Amino acid sequence: MNDRSEWRVAVDPGRVVQRTCGHLDGLREVPANTTPGCEDCLRVGGTWVHLRACLSCGHVACCDSSPGQHAYHHARADSGHHIARSLQPGEDWAWCYTDELFLRPA
């Protein structure tokens, strides 16, 4: 897993005009919290499929395929916490929950 501070919108070959993310300016990625799993699932005894880390605060939460969808709920509940990166080994991407855009490292 890389700690990166610069991300860009991944090219969507199906679109003539590429979308933009309004949440990349001033983004300051913080390291993911050192937790053995989804912080919210661990608190309530839930389970998760994959983990995501908020690029604003480092909160570790579960993906949209998980029953709790805690990364999504974290992004919706906390103003300014729009983007989370994958914590899966071998994956190097992020997702903007607000603009619904797939991001790659710059």
Side-chain angles (χ1 to χ4, degrees):
M1 170 180 43
N2 294 323
D3 287 331
R4 299 180 188 264
S5 59
E6 294 186 34
W7 295 85
R8 62 177 164 72
V9 175
V11 174
D12 183 347
R15 291 185 169 270
V16 174
V17 176
Q18 297 297 308
R19 295 176 58 200
T20 60
C21 179
H23 306 100
L24 296 175
D25 290 340
L27 179 66
R28 209 174 38 95
E29 181 175 355
V30 298
N33 295 342
T34 55
T35 181
C38 172
E39 296 174 35
D40 303 295
C41 288
L42 288 169
R43 189 170 36 258
V44 298
T47 60
W48 59 88
V49 177
H50 299 289
L51 298 174
R52 309 290 179 244
C54 177
L55 296 187
S56 297
C57 69
H59 179 78
V60 175
C62 57
C63 69
D64 289 356
S65 297
S66 300
Q69 299 179 337
H70 291 118
Y72 169 83
H73 293 295
H74 177 78
R76 294 289 183 223
D78 291 323
S79 177
H81 297 236
H82 307 278
I83 301 173
R85 73 164 185 252
S86 173
L87 290 181
Q88 293 307 114
E91 293 185 355
D92 200 8
W93 58 269
W95 178 257
C96 178
Y97 284 94
T98 304
D99 291 326
E100 298 184 346
L101 287 170
F102 187 60
L103 307 170
R104 290 281 186 196

